[in-house]
Amino acid sequence: MSFTSIPFYLFAALTLLLYYVLPRRFQWIVLLVMSLVFYASWGLELIPFVLVASLAAWFCARKMETIYAFTDVKIKTAKEAGENPPARTWKDMAKKQCRRWLWLAFAVLIMALIFVKLQRQMATLPVLSWIPWFFSKVYHHFGKLLIKLPGSQLFLKDTIFSDHGRMAETVSILVPLGISYYTFSLISYVTDVYWKKDKAEQNYFRLLAFTLYFPKILQGPISRHRELAPQIFEGHTFDYQKLCFGLQRMLWGYFKKLVIADRLAIFVGIVNNNVENETGAHLLVGAVFATLQLYCDFSGCMDIACGFSECLGLTLEENFNRPFFSRSIGEFWSRWHITLGAFFKDYVYMPIVVPHLLKHSKLVKKKYGERASRAVLAIPPLLAVWMLTGIWHGMDWAHVVWGMYFFCIITISTVFKPEFEQVNKRLKIKEESAGWKVFQTVRTATLFIFGGMATRYGTLEKGYIVIKKIFTSFHVEGFFDGSLYTLELSRPGFLLAILALFLLYAVGRLQEQGISLRERIADNNLLFRWIVYYGLLFSIIIFGIYGPGYDAKQFIYMQF
Amino acid sequence: MLTGILILTALQTVFTPTHNSEGNPDFSIHGFEMLPRDSVDAVFLGSSIFLDGISPMKIYRDTGVKTYNLATSGQPVSLSCSILERVLRTQSPKVVFLDVGTLFGKDSVTTWRYFLDNISLDSNKIDMARKYQSLFSEQGRDAIEALVPMIAYHSRWNSLTKENFDLDRGNGTYFTMGFYLIGNAASATATIYDIDQIVSEIYENRDPERIPHPSEQNIAYLDKMQTICSENGAELILVKLPSIVFPQDAYGRTCWSRYTYEQIRELATSRGLTYIDLNYDVDTGVDFKTDSLDGGVHLNICGAEKVSAFLGSYLEENYTLDRSTNQTWDKNLELYDSLRQTALLQATLNFRAYLARLAENMEGRTIVIAAKEEYISGLDKEDFDLLKALGLTIIQNGGFADSYLAVIQDGIVQFEKTSKQRISYDDSPGGIQINAVSSGWYSTSLASIKINGTEYAMNSNGLNIVVWDNNAGLPMDSAAINTRNPGSSVGQSGKIFSFLRNYEKYLMQQDKRGGIAA
C-alpha cells in the first residue's frame, strides 16, 4: 500500500476516523493495529523481522533499566541504612552490565541489517552463501503458512544465483520494509536507555507501536523514541486547524512526488539508461533533473508523513530544510536527510569525539597548536560518519566513493577555512552580498549534483563517462533543437515540470524568509483559501503522474 | 466538499475522451440511457460490423418495430453480456441479436472503457467495473479506475480539444438509435466464395493452426447470455452480417469463411439457437461494389439499409411486436432521413444516379460545380438531361477543355458559364460567401470552391461538385467526376466522413433545441 495509492487514501481516512472516534487511551492501539495492517500490506512475510528487532530492543532496554533501577535502590537502601556505599563503583558495574545488553541489542539489530544489506554479496561467496540460502528456505516454508495479502510483493524482491553446496539454487532476497529506518530508531532507543536519556518501555506493544508507526516506516524520519513515543501515548483531541494544516502539507507532498518527481523521472529514466548515446547537454539536464527528482520524491514523502502525523496531533522530526538554499556542502547536509545526519552525529560522531578524541586533541593542541587539534577532532569522526553514510546508501564501491567525495569537501572546507577566508578577503569578496550568496548556493548544488554521479548510473565507470561527456562532448545545440523533448517527456510536460519547479523555488524562498505560507493562507478569506486548496488538489489530480499505463514510481528512499 | 465533487465531476467529463474519433459515438450509449422504460423490443449487440450495418430507424420506418443498436467497435462478447444485463434493467426486449463475429474476438481494455466511460454510475456499473478488473487486472487495471475515469485520463491535459469542453454531451438523444451512418464507399475485390478458397488454401495446406475458434471464455459468455435471455423472456439470435475480409489483411482475424460459419452453425444447433448468416444463408441484395465503406469489411449506408430491411421483415414475420407509430420516433425519423439523404448522396458512385439524387432535394442546398481541365467529352444526352433537371442548360454549350462554373441555390441557378478563359465567381447568395474558380486546360487547369473561406473542391479533372446545406451552414458532400471519359464513377472526397459527422452533430443540436426527447 503505497502512499500514492487509492487504498492508502481510504486507509488513512479510516485511521483518522478510528483515531478520533475511539477514547484517547485507545489511540495508540489504533495506531499499532493500523501500522501492522499497513506493514502487512507489503507482505506478511516481512513482519517477523521487525517483531524480532523490536523484541530484542525492548528486552535489552528493560534489562538495562532494571539493572540501573536495582543499583539505584541498592545505593539508596545502603545510604538509608547509614552505610557509605561505593556508589561510583556500583554505578560503573551497573553500566558495565548494561553494556552487555546494549551490545546484545546492537548485535541482533545490526546483524539483521547487515544480513539484509549484504545477502546479495553473501550469496555469491561460497563460504557465506549458506546464510541467505538458509533464510530463503526458512522463509519459503514459513511463507506457505501465511495468508498472502494483496500487494504483498516485496518478499521475493529479487532472485539471484547461489553456488551453495553441490547444487546451484535460486536464493530469495528478503527486503523487510524500512529496515534501516526502524533499526536506527531502535539503536537510538537502546542507546538512550543505556545513557539514561530515555525510559525503557515496559509494554512490548508500546515499543512496537513506536517502531511500526506507519507514516515513518517507509522512508523515515529516523525518529527518536523519547521524542515521538510520548506523543503517541499521550492521546489527542480533534483539532480542526491541525487537521487542515496536516492535509495541506500532505497535498504539498503529493504535488512534489506526483507532479514533479515522477514527471522528471520519465526524462531521467531515459537519459540515465542511455548514457553512452546521449550528449553532454542531455546528460547534464538528466543529472540536474535526477537530483531534483530525488529531492522532490524524498521530501514529498516526508511531507506526506509529517502532514498525516499533524492530522493525528503528532509532530514528526523534519528531514529536510530546503537544502538547495544552502551555501556550503556542510550546511547542505545539515538540511538534507536531517535525522540520518543527526543519528550519525549523536550515535557515531559524538561517542567517538567525546571519550576518545578529546583527550588526543588536547595533546595535539599542546604540541602542534589549535588548528591541528581541530583537525584531529574533525577528521576521524567525519571519515567514520561519511564512510557509514556511503555504506548505508549502498553496499558497493560507488557509494564508498560518494561518501569519501563529501568527506573530502567537508574536510577541506573545515581544515582550510582560514585560507579560504583569506582568499576572499584579498579578492575583496563581500560575503554577505547577494551575488556571492547566489554563487555559493549554485556552487553547493553543483557539487551535490556532481557527487551524485558516482552512484546514479549504476557503476562508477558510467559516472565517469557522464562527467567526461559533459566536458568534452556537450553539444549545446541539444538545448534548442527540440531533441530534449524527444526523450519521453514532451514539450508541454517539460514546461510543466519547469513551472512546478519554479513554484517549489518560490515557496522555498518565502519559507527561507521566515514566512509561514500556511498561516498566511489561513489568514485569508474563505474563497481565497479554498481556491488555493482546490488549485493544489486539482493540479495534482490533473498533472500528477499516476494511474494505469503509468505506475507512480515507488518512493526512491523506500529501498533503504 | 460538494464543490470539490462538482469540480471533479466536470473535470471527468472534460478529460474523458469522446471516442468519436475512433468511430464510437458516445452519444449512442447516452441515447440508450435516455430511452423511456420498455420502449424497445429488440437490441443489437456486437462489433463495428453491426454498428455500421444495422439501422433501427430503417426497421422502424419499414415495420414500426422499435429497436436499438448497442454495438460498439470491437465489442467483445464479455462486454455484450454485460450490456445485455444493463439493457434488461430498463428494457424488456423480446429479441436480442448478437454478432457472432465477436465469439472469435478478444477482450480489450479500450472497448470496455468506451462503454464504461459513457454510462451513469449505478450498481450495474459497479458490477461491470468489477468484471473489468477481473478481465484486465494483469494489465494493471482495477475497478476504481473504471469508476473514476479521471485516474486513467488525467494525462490527456495536453491533448484536450474544444469538443472535450462540451459538458452537455451526455444529455442528448441519438436519433439514429445507435446506428452509425457512413457514406463512404469502397468496393470489395472478392466474394465470400473467393474468401473460402483463399482460407482453404491457407488453413488446409499451409497453416492449419490459423483456423479461428471461439474461445471457451467466449462460449461461456454466450451460454450466459442465452440463460439471461431465456430468464427474461427474450430470444437470443445469432447473426452474421455480410462481410468480406481477406485473412492476410490488417483485419484478418475477423475474416469470415465457411470455417467460422460451420463452427457457429454447430454451436447454434447444439444450443437450440437461431443462427442467421447473411453471407451464406440469406441473400439480402448487398452488392459489395457499392455497399461497403472499406472494401468489404463494413457496410455503408446502402448496405445497412438492405440488411436492415431484411432484419425488419424477419422481426415482423416471426414475432408479435408492438408496431404502433410513436411521435418521438417519428420526429427522430425526420432527423434520421435528413442524415440518411446526405449519407446516400455521398455513397452514390454512379454519376447519373448522383445527379438524380441532387435533383431530388434542391431546397435548402447550394450546389457549386467547377470544371477542371476538360469536362465535356464524356457527357452524353442523358447526362445533359439530368443536368437540365438541376436547371443547368449552358453546360452543354461548352467546348473541348473549356472552363465551366455553376452555382445553384435552393433550386435556382445563380450563375452558370462556360468559357475558354478562367471563370471566377465571388458572391454571397443567401448570405453564403462563395469564391469559386474554374480553369479548363486552356487556362491552366484548376477547380476551386471556397465556401465561407474554406476550400472544399477536390480539384480533380472533370466536374468538381460541392453541396452545401444552407440551414446548417455545413458542407454535405464534395465529389468529382472525370467527365472527360464516358461512364466515369463519382470520386469521393476524403472529407465526406467528417462532413457527415458534423451534420449529425448539427441535427442532434436541433433535436435538443426542438425539445425532441426519446
Side-chain angles (χ1 to χ4, degrees):
Chain A
M1 188 162 34
S2 161
F3 278 0
T4 55
S5 65
I6 288 174
F8 176 76
Y9 307 144
L10 301 173
F11 172 84
L14 179 67
T15 305
L16 277 175
L17 184 74
L18 291 173
Y19 187 79
Y20 284 117
V21 165
L22 290 172
R24 284 167 59 183
R25 65 180 185 280
F26 295 128
Q27 283 180 340
W28 73 271
I29 297 169
V30 170
L31 292 182
L32 172 62
V33 172
M34 296 312 267
S35 296
L36 276 165
V37 171
F38 180 81
Y39 203 81
S41 75
W42 290 93
L44 270 176
E45 307 89 347
L46 306 175
I47 286 186
F49 269 91
V50 69
L51 292 183
V52 169
S54 51
L55 191 66
W58 171 77
F59 185 75
C60 294
R62 274 201 67 186
K63 277 286 176 193
M64 286 189 276
E65 194 162 79
T66 310
I67 292 165
Y68 283 138
F70 177 74
T71 309
D72 289 345
V73 171
K74 199 171 144 188
I75 293 167
K76 196 179 168 191
T77 314
K79 277 182 181 171
E80 281 170 1
E83 296 169 14
N84 186 18
R88 186 75 257 157
T89 315
W90 288 357
K91 280 186 180 175
D92 285 348
M93 279 172 64
K95 195 144 197 171
K96 205 173 172 185
Q97 273 181 293
C98 287
R99 201 175 298 142
R100 285 184 201 142
W101 291 109
L102 180 72
W103 283 113
L104 178 65
F106 280 179
V108 174
L109 295 170
I110 295 171
M111 289 291 275
L113 183 63
I114 289 175
F115 165 70
V116 166
K117 291 275 182 183
L118 278 179
Q119 54 188 325
R120 178 182 285 275
Q121 285 86 340
M122 280 194 277
T124 55
L125 295 173
V127 185
L128 297 174
S129 62
W130 65 271
I131 302 171
W133 175 84
F134 174 76
F135 276 98
S136 173
K137 285 284 168 199
V138 168
Y139 255 73
H140 270 299
H141 289 292
F142 186 48
K144 282 176 191 165
L145 302 174
L146 299 167
I147 305 159
K148 276 203 169 185
L149 289 179
S152 130
Q153 51 192 327
L154 276 191
F155 170 44
L156 305 176
K157 192 193 176 195
D158 196 3
T159 55
I160 52 171
F161 206 58
S162 164
D163 290 332
H164 173 77
R166 282 175 296 174
M167 268 173 65
E169 288 187 49
T170 300
V171 171
S172 303
I173 297 292
L174 310 166
V175 187
L177 195 66
I179 186 166
S180 294
Y181 302 105
Y182 71 69
T183 299
F184 281 13
S185 276
L186 290 172
I187 286 175
S188 76
Y189 165 66
V190 289
T191 311
D192 283 351
V193 172
Y194 171 72
W195 285 337
K196 295 189 185 176
K197 286 183 178 173
D198 197 2
K199 288 272 174 202
E201 286 292 355
Q202 298 305 305
N203 182 339
Y204 167 67
F205 292 103
R206 284 165 69 99
L207 183 67
L208 193 61
F210 156 76
T211 310
L212 276 178
Y213 178 57
F214 73 87
K216 72 172 176 69
I217 197 74
L218 289 180
Q219 295 197 82
I222 300 164
S223 296
R224 306 288 170 90
H225 175 265
R226 61 177 190 268
E227 304 281 344
L228 181 61
Q231 297 184 65
I232 291 177
F233 303 123
E234 73 185 357
H236 299 268
T237 47
F238 179 76
D239 183 329
Y240 178 72
Q241 195 180 34
K242 277 188 179 170
L243 181 78
C244 287
F245 278 4
L247 290 175
Q248 284 169 38
R249 182 140 184 208
M250 286 177 81
L251 269 185
W252 184 235
Y254 281 115
F255 182 84
K256 282 182 182 173
K257 165 69 181 161
L258 297 175
V259 179
I260 307 179
D262 285 354
R263 176 159 279 103
L264 297 180
I266 300 169
F267 184 91
V268 170
I270 294 291
V271 174
N272 287 5
N273 289 324
N274 196 21
V275 163
E276 290 83 1
N277 301 319
E278 286 298 342
T279 63
H282 289 179
L283 288 168
L284 181 64
V285 176
V288 173
F289 275 12
T291 308
L292 294 168
Q293 179 209 348
L294 180 65
Y295 170 66
C296 291
D297 188 285
F298 195 7
S299 69
C301 179
M302 287 304 102
D303 287 329
I304 296 166
C306 292
F308 186 74
S309 297
E310 203 169 348
C311 294
L312 297 169
L314 310 179
T315 307
L316 273 187
E317 293 95 326
E318 293 294 339
N319 238 355
F320 289 91
N321 182 24
R322 299 172 294 283
F324 289 102
F325 287 93
S326 306
R327 290 165 64 185
S328 69
I329 282 291
E331 186 191 352
F332 187 96
W333 279 104
S334 69
R335 287 164 167 247
W336 176 289
H337 208 170
I338 296 167
T339 56
L340 180 70
F343 176 84
F344 282 131
K345 184 186 155 205
D346 293 346
Y347 300 98
V348 179
Y349 187 99
M350 294 308 284
I352 294 173
V353 171
V354 175
H356 307 293
L357 292 178
L358 220 52
K359 204 161 56 184
H360 298 298
S361 75
K362 281 175 188 166
L363 288 173
V364 173
K365 191 177 175 182
K366 261 187 194 170
K367 233 177 173 178
Y368 303 103
E370 179 76 26
R371 279 192 72 181
S373 153
R374 274 215 303 271
V376 166
L377 273 179
I379 295 171
L382 274 176
L383 182 65
V385 164
W386 281 104
M387 185 66 85
L388 285 172
T389 307
I391 290 170
W392 183 83
H393 280 88
M395 291 275 193
D396 52 42
W397 284 110
H399 285 88
V400 172
V401 169
W402 176 83
M404 289 305 97
Y405 168 84
F406 288 111
F407 162 70
C408 290
I409 292 174
I410 294 171
T411 304
I412 290 167
S413 62
T414 310
V415 174
F416 298 103
K417 196 178 174 191
E419 281 77 14
F420 289 132
E421 284 173 353
Q422 202 66 32
V423 171
N424 286 353
K425 217 172 185 180
R426 286 200 181 165
L427 292 173
K428 294 183 178 170
I429 292 168
K430 289 178 185 169
E431 294 200 347
E432 287 310 308
S433 66
W436 180 244
K437 282 181 185 171
V438 169
F439 167 75
Q440 284 182 306
T441 309
V442 173
R443 181 190 62 187
T444 305
T446 308
L447 285 170
F448 183 73
I449 290 165
F450 270 84
M453 286 179 184
T455 58
R456 187 168 302 131
Y457 307 99
T459 61
L460 277 171
E461 290 77 15
K462 281 192 179 174
Y464 171 70
I465 292 170
V466 172
I467 294 172
K468 195 174 157 192
K469 279 199 165 187
I470 287 173
F471 287 105
T472 61
S473 173
F474 193 73
H475 294 288
V476 72
E477 69 276 10
F479 288 131
F480 314 105
D481 60 6
S483 57
L484 267 180
Y485 313 123
T486 61
L487 302 168
E488 292 289 315
L489 194 59
S490 63
R491 185 189 290 261
F494 207 93
L495 291 174
L496 180 69
I498 302 292
L499 270 176
L501 284 169
F502 182 76
L503 179 67
L504 185 71
Y505 168 78
V507 169
R509 183 94 210 144
L510 290 171
Q511 287 172 332
E512 279 293 295
Q513 290 165 4
I515 296 168
S516 168
L517 276 178
R518 296 196 299 185
E519 282 169 17
R520 282 281 176 95
I521 292 166
D523 288 343
N524 273 282
N525 62 53
L526 189 80
L527 182 68
F528 177 83
R529 289 205 309 269
W530 282 96
I531 287 173
V532 172
Y533 302 154
Y534 277 138
L536 192 57
L537 175 66
F538 286 109
S539 65
I540 296 165
I541 290 174
I542 294 170
F543 301 122
I545 304 286
Y546 63 91
Y550 193 92
D551 289 333
K553 301 267 175 300
Q554 288 294 359
F555 285 104
I556 294 170
Y557 262 69
M558 212 174 76
Q559 58 190 294
F560 299 100
Chain B
M1 180 76 102
L2 187 67
T3 318
I5 291 168
L6 287 174
I7 297 172
L8 184 65
T9 309
L11 280 175
Q12 292 216 131
T13 311
V14 171
F15 278 80
T16 303
T18 59
H19 300 277
N20 291 340
S21 58
E22 293 141 38
N24 273 320
D26 54 356
F27 28 83
S28 166
I29 297 166
H30 296 155
F32 182 79
E33 299 269 289
M34 300 282 286
L35 284 180
R37 290 185 80 86
D38 298 330
S39 59
V40 292
D41 284 328
V43 290
F44 300 94
L45 301 171
S47 68
S48 56
I49 289 177
F50 261 35
L51 177 71
D52 303 336
I54 298 173
S55 169
M57 293 314 293
K58 163 76 176 164
I59 294 171
Y60 174 71
R61 192 217 314 274
D62 290 355
T63 65
V65 175
K66 291 141 202 97
T67 62
Y68 203 95
N69 188 342
L70 272 166
T72 55
S73 289
Q75 188 179 101
V77 69
S78 59
L79 180 58
S80 302
C81 184
S82 286
I83 296 174
L84 176 62
E85 287 173 324
R86 189 169 184 85
V87 166
L88 291 168
R89 286 160 56 94
T90 55
Q91 304 295 330
S92 306
K94 310 290 181 300
V95 190
V96 175
F97 291 95
L98 177 69
D99 174 6
V100 286
T102 63
L103 292 169
F104 296 89
K106 289 180 179 171
D107 285 310
S108 112
V109 168
T110 316
T111 50
W112 267 84
R113 285 314 297 243
Y114 163 61
F115 199 84
L116 277 167
D117 291 345
N118 286 300
I119 56 175
S120 50
L121 182 64
D122 52 28
S123 60
N124 173 262
K125 183 171 181 175
I126 293 168
D127 287 344
M128 286 181 80
R130 285 164 60 189
K131 193 164 158 188
Y132 168 86
Q133 177 172 306
S134 69
L135 287 169
F136 306 112
S137 58
E138 283 181 10
Q139 296 173 40
R141 304 287 171 156
D142 59 42
I144 296 174
E145 167 244 321
L147 295 170
V148 187
M150 197 66 188
I151 295 171
Y153 297 127
H154 69 279
S155 55
R156 294 183 67 243
W157 61 270
N158 55 0
S159 57
L160 294 176
T161 60
K162 197 179 158 191
E163 187 187 27
N164 293 114
F165 289 90
D166 177 14
L167 299 182
D168 196 23
R169 65 179 102 133
N171 296 330
T173 57
Y174 192 32
F175 57 84
T176 71
M177 296 295 161
F179 170 46
Y180 201 54
L181 285 82
I182 297 178
N184 296 58
S187 60
T189 54
T191 65
I192 191 76
Y193 302 105
D194 297 328
I195 297 295
D196 278 343
Q197 283 192 347
I198 294 167
V199 295
S200 170
E201 168 64 16
I202 293 173
Y203 297 165
E204 301 287 344
N205 300 331
R206 285 194 246 163
D207 192 0
E209 288 190 2
R210 277 185 65 181
I211 300 174
H213 299 287
S215 70
E216 281 181 20
Q217 180 185 288
N218 286 350
I219 293 172
Y221 279 117
L222 174 70
D223 290 340
K224 190 177 174 189
M225 287 179 78
Q226 189 181 8
T227 308
I228 293 169
C229 283
S230 63
E231 284 171 358
N232 288 276
E235 186 179 353
L236 181 66
I237 296 182
L238 307 183
V239 175
K240 180 63 195 170
L241 294 195
S243 178
I244 303 289
V245 185
F246 288 93
Q248 56 271 60
D249 276 358
Y251 287 109
R253 65 180 177 81
T254 63
C255 170
W256 198 255
S257 68
R258 193 154 286 281
Y259 290 85
T260 44
Y261 167 74
E262 280 166 5
Q263 287 181 68
I264 298 299
R265 174 63 62 209
E266 197 181 321
L267 203 70
T269 309
S270 67
R271 283 161 175 76
L273 288 167
T274 305
Y275 171 37
I276 308 167
D277 194 307
L278 304 186
N279 291 284
Y280 292 104
D281 298 338
V282 181
D283 181 6
T284 51
V286 168
D287 179 357
F288 276 107
K289 283 181 185 151
T290 55
D291 296 348
S292 170
L293 65 97
D294 51 7
V297 184
H298 300 90
L299 298 177
N300 63 15
I301 177 70
C302 305
E305 292 240 315
K306 291 171 185 170
V307 163
S308 305
F310 166 77
L311 290 171
S313 59
Y314 179 84
L315 285 170
E316 195 176 25
E317 286 164 18
N318 293 283
Y319 300 92
T320 310
L321 303 171
D322 174 26
R323 294 173 57 190
S324 61
T325 55
N326 177 297
Q327 201 183 351
T328 307
W329 281 70
D330 287 344
K331 280 183 180 172
N332 284 340
L333 194 56
E334 282 175 28
L335 294 166
Y336 172 77
D337 275 337
S338 299
L339 191 64
R340 172 182 170 268
Q341 279 175 10
T342 305
L344 283 172
L345 177 69
Q346 290 181 348
T348 305
L349 300 182
N350 179 284
F351 177 48
R352 287 174 184 163
Y354 188 85
L355 291 176
R357 278 207 186 278
L358 277 181
E360 267 175 25
N361 195 354
M362 307 271 280
E363 200 61 37
R365 284 181 175 177
T366 299
I367 302 163
V368 185
I369 305 174
K372 177 185 175 184
E373 188 147 306
E374 209 294 304
Y375 77 90
I376 202 152
S377 306
L379 296 176
D380 60 16
K381 186 175 177 307
E382 200 174 333
D383 297 325
F384 288 129
D385 286 345
L386 285 163
L387 285 161
K388 250 184 215 166
L390 295 173
L392 303 174
T393 50
I394 298 170
I395 190 167
Q396 60 190 331
N397 301 337
F400 181 79
D402 275 2
S403 307
Y404 172 77
L405 188 63
V407 177
I408 310 162
Q409 192 169 63
D410 294 320
I412 298 162
V413 177
Q414 302 284 338
F415 179 86
E416 189 183 18
K417 188 178 178 183
T418 63
S419 170
K420 292 269 182 267
Q421 309 299 317
R422 174 191 176 105
I423 308 167
S424 295
Y425 177 85
D426 299 289
D427 206 347
S428 301
I432 301 163
Q433 189 198 329
I434 300 171
N435 305 94
V437 177
S438 167
S439 292
W441 182 80
Y442 292 117
S443 51
T444 63
S445 300
L446 172 74
S448 167
I449 303 167
K450 285 184 185 172
I451 300 182
N452 291 339
T454 305
E455 179 65 74
Y456 292 106
M458 287 175 71
N459 192 23
S460 296
N461 289 347
L463 294 177
N464 290 266
I465 303 173
V466 170
V467 183
W468 181 266
D469 187 296
N470 301 340
N471 299 320
L474 291 168
M476 301 280 95
D477 194 20
S478 171
I481 309 97
N482 191 355
T483 46
R484 179 178 184 166
N485 304 318
S488 290
S489 59
V490 178
Q492 295 177 314
S493 160
K495 296 173 182 169
I496 60 167
F497 180 79
S498 62
F499 290 172
L500 197 65
R501 298 283 74 83
N502 290 336
Y503 189 52
E504 185 178 48
K505 275 184 206 160
Y506 164 78
L507 291 171
M508 279 197 292
Q509 280 163 3
Q510 292 304 107
D511 182 16
K512 275 188 204 175
R513 284 180 199 146
I516 299 170

